Amino acid sequence: MGFARTCSVALVGVEGVVVEVQADLEPGVAAFTLVGLPDKSLTESKDRVRAAVVNSGAVWPSKKLTVGLSPASVPKSGSGFDLAVAAAVLGAAERIDPRVLADIVMIGELGLDGRVRPVRGVLPAVLAAADAGYEQVVVPESGVPEASLVPGVSVLGVRSLRQLIAVLTDEPVPDEEPVLGEVRPDPFLAGLALPGTGLGGGPPGGHQPDLADVAGQTLARTALEVAAAGRHHVFFKGPPGAGKTMLAERLPGLLPELSRQESLEVTAVHSVAGVLPPGHPLVDRSPYCAPHHSATMASLVGGGNGFPRPGAVSLSHHGVLFLDEAAEFHSSVLDSLRQPLESGHVVVARAAGMLRMPARFLMVLAANPCPCGRFGMGDDICECRPSSIKRYRARLSGPLMDRVDLRVTVEPVSRAELLGAGVSGESTAVVADRVRLARERAARRYEGHPWRTNSEVPGHELRTRWHVQSGALMKAEADLDRGLLSARGLDRVLRVAWTVADLAGRDRPSANDVNWALELRTGIRRGAVLEAIGS
């Protein structure tokens, strides 16, 4: 009779649970039983592990073998348990000293030839191991940079099971050729369009779109700056070719670099989704996610067969979620964003389980004014029926739009603006510097509180703790009485006004700041003139 145990990690969304992998050998008919609530891919590990052990030069035990995964009540999925199962079996067969395995966490998939293949979710798995008090982790060699982001953990990267056996038995470590190929994005998320290297990637060649490339659009550029400074959601409405997509693509460049904690959160989500770009284990810039308008609800908020996986709202955590042609999305898909827009996380419930994933993103909506896109351009060139225009606009529901702070009409660019030689707006670097200073002002104001940007502050706190200038809310209060503004709408107007004041360097929002925010909220002109926020 032989017994050995080691540890691995089961991922539940973007959080990990340490699992003890136990192997027991008893006399009897040779059989391999795997228990502990494994899924189909984990059940198939029996064949992978057996072939990997034999092809690594070790002897497969001809006894009754039982491998248990504890706690048995936690669902376990994926191929990341292969390495731990193989090590536990070899420990029970006394090929490896069982005492050496007890305090090691092993993560990795095994090929039939004994090679250790990369798996997704290395960072959250190692974080879970560190939180549980483990100090030694074995991962695939390609996952070492990602695992090394966790302090206080000794990381061993191996290319094959042969190397692991040699390390644990103090034998000469054989040389192995590097594993060919790279981790590919999850096919389940293939419908999400991101620039550059795919999901979670950056622009091609490292080029960052510059705001100076946008011709004209003074109001839209200002709204984009306000959105970046206060993390306010924005809606661009205008005809095709006016520059809505260009503006949205330049928003991530205006956002400050992620803090260490934010980087780890974003990296954990991208690691679970399998979309970390090769050679970049830590995401330090705000992600940009732009799903096609045919995206399903599962691809947007998370889901899929079996246990739910991160969707676009989680992949854009601490970044930008751009929904181009927003009116072409299915209305139920758009309305599924209402809860994460308020709470900053999404709770997905499926038959296989329920999990909570982070989803604090900055949303940008873009839509045409009508199905043909020419409504309001003059000369009666729009041929859409009034009923068609009404149905088209109704796809963006009132409750969803009530959560959008900035609503901007993007007018067509004039010939003088488009062809003006030597005339260009401010660059991304200049605007990003103002955004950074505004974020710092807000952070100082909310020091000692759990908020860092104006969009996060609860309305009650904003109304009672931080007051605007006397009389600044006169028009907003009148709109509230007339039903043109909801209670949530008033709070969002106040948040935008505080962001405008932060950008301008004022201590408190003025009446002009509130009225400008009110104009963008309701679409009704209030005679407000936005003061130069750069002064």
Side-chain angles (χ1 to χ4, degrees):
M1 177 179 175
F3 176 83
R5 63 183 181 88
T6 187
C7 294
S8 190
V9 178
L11 290 177
V12 183
V14 294
E15 298 179 353
V17 178
V18 175
V19 172
E20 187 175 80
V21 181
Q22 304 170 343
D24 178 69
L25 282 175
E26 295 180 356
V29 179
F32 188 172
T33 304
L34 183 65
V35 297
L37 211 58
D39 72 343
K40 180 65 175 177
S41 62
L42 183 50
T43 301
E44 292 176 348
S45 69
K46 295 188 293 184
D47 298 320
R48 291 194 301 270
V49 169
R50 180 187 290 109
V53 169
V54 172
N55 290 326
S56 297
V59 177
W60 184 261
S62 298
K63 296 181 180 181
K64 181 181 178 181
L65 171 63
T66 302
V67 174
L69 308 176
S70 179
S73 59
V74 176
K76 303 164 190 72
S77 61
S79 57
F81 293 88
D82 289 3
L83 198 60
V85 171
V89 171
L90 292 174
E94 298 183 351
R95 176 67 177 85
I96 301 175
D97 187 349
R99 294 172 296 179
V100 177
L101 301 173
D103 296 324
I104 301 178
V105 174
M106 301 187 183
I107 304 161
E109 175 186 334
L110 286 175
L112 299 183
D113 59 351
R115 294 292 185 92
V116 180
R117 310 297 299 183
V119 294
R120 65 183 62 172
V122 171
L123 176 59
V126 177
L127 284 170
D131 291 340
Y134 290 88
E135 299 179 351
Q136 291 182 303
V137 177
V138 178
V139 298
E141 187 179 51
S142 60
V144 170
E146 188 179 344
S148 299
L149 296 173
V150 182
V153 176
S154 175
V155 180
L156 171 64
V158 293
R159 294 181 181 176
S160 68
L161 181 59
R162 283 183 291 270
Q163 286 189 340
L164 178 62
I165 295 173
V167 171
L168 297 179
T169 56
D170 292 328
E171 298 175 359
V173 179
D175 292 330
E176 299 281 1
E177 295 181 0
V179 178
L180 300 178
E182 297 175 347
V183 181
R184 293 174 180 160
D186 184 355
F188 175 75
L189 302 172
L192 302 178
L194 279 170
T197 57
L199 298 176
H207 171 70
Q208 293 287 347
D210 200 298
L211 197 58
D213 300 334
V214 180
Q217 306 299 358
T218 303
L219 177 60
R221 290 168 60 97
T222 304
L224 204 68
E225 181 176 348
V226 173
R231 197 181 278 175
H232 303 288
H233 308 304
V234 60
F235 171 52
F236 290 131
K237 181 180 71 174
K244 303 185 295 294
T245 302
M246 285 187 67
L247 289 163
E249 288 176 345
R250 282 147 181 79
L251 181 54
L254 301 180
L255 300 177
E257 288 191 5
L258 301 177
S259 65
R260 177 71 177 183
Q261 179 62 34
E262 291 172 341
S263 293
L264 290 176
E265 292 177 8
V266 175
T267 302
V269 175
H270 286 221
S271 177
V272 170
V275 296
L276 281 178
H280 295 83
L282 182 67
V283 180
D284 56 1
R285 295 295 302 176
S286 299
Y288 174 81
C289 193
H292 191 260
H293 62 259
S294 61
T296 63
M297 186 182 300
S299 68
L300 203 61
V301 301
N305 297 328
F307 214 75
R309 297 177 181 174
V313 297
S314 296
L315 290 173
S316 54
H317 182 55
H318 290 311
V320 177
L321 175 65
F322 176 46
L323 303 183
D324 198 8
E325 304 294 345
E328 299 294 342
F329 281 80
H330 196 280
S331 57
S332 61
V333 174
L334 290 176
D335 285 338
S336 67
L337 299 174
R338 286 153 55 178
Q339 291 92 339
L341 283 173
E342 286 291 319
S343 61
H345 64 266
V346 59
V347 178
V348 181
R350 295 291 185 269
M354 179 184 297
L355 60 86
R356 167 174 166 163
M357 291 178 285
R360 188 169 297 281
F361 55 90
L362 199 167
M363 183 179 68
V364 180
L365 301 174
N368 297 327
C370 67
C372 76
R374 296 176 293 181
F375 180 81
M377 295 181 64
D379 299 329
D380 297 326
I381 60 176
C382 177
E383 300 178 354
C384 300
R385 296 180 179 179
S387 58
S388 299
I389 298 176
K390 185 177 181 180
R391 285 196 302 270
Y392 182 80
R393 295 179 177 178
R395 295 177 184 175
L396 301 176
S397 66
L400 175 65
M401 294 304 298
D402 198 38
R403 291 163 167 81
V404 178
D405 302 336
L406 307 171
R407 307 173 189 179
V408 182
T409 299
V410 182
E411 302 290 348
V413 181
S414 66
R415 183 179 62 180
E417 292 173 330
L418 187 61
L419 302 178
V423 179
S424 63
E426 293 178 312
S427 66
T428 294
V430 173
V431 179
D433 190 56
R434 283 204 300 268
V435 169
R436 178 183 57 81
L437 293 176
R439 288 274 188 110
E440 290 175 356
R441 292 189 185 99
R444 287 194 297 269
R445 182 168 60 249
Y446 304 132
E447 189 174 0
H449 301 280
W451 319 297
R452 290 297 176 266
T453 59
N454 293 316
S455 64
E456 303 172 23
V457 184
H460 174 75
E461 297 288 340
L462 204 60
R463 293 191 303 269
T464 58
R465 190 184 296 267
W466 294 282
H467 302 283
V468 300
Q469 293 181 9
S470 178
L473 291 177
M474 185 179 300
K475 292 185 178 180
E477 292 171 351
D479 281 1
L480 187 64
D481 291 337
R482 290 190 297 173
L484 296 176
L485 200 65
S486 65
R488 179 192 286 122
L490 177 61
D491 292 339
R492 291 186 175 273
V493 166
L494 284 174
R495 292 167 182 163
V496 173
W498 272 104
T499 301
V500 174
D502 288 334
L503 284 167
R506 289 187 285 273
D507 293 334
R508 291 189 298 168
S510 64
N512 206 53
D513 296 335
V514 176
N515 292 341
W516 186 82
L518 201 58
E519 280 189 11
L520 292 182
R521 179 81 186 176
T522 63
I524 302 175
R525 298 295 181 186
R526 313 296 171 127
V529 179
L530 185 65
E531 302 174 21
I533 57 180
S535 61

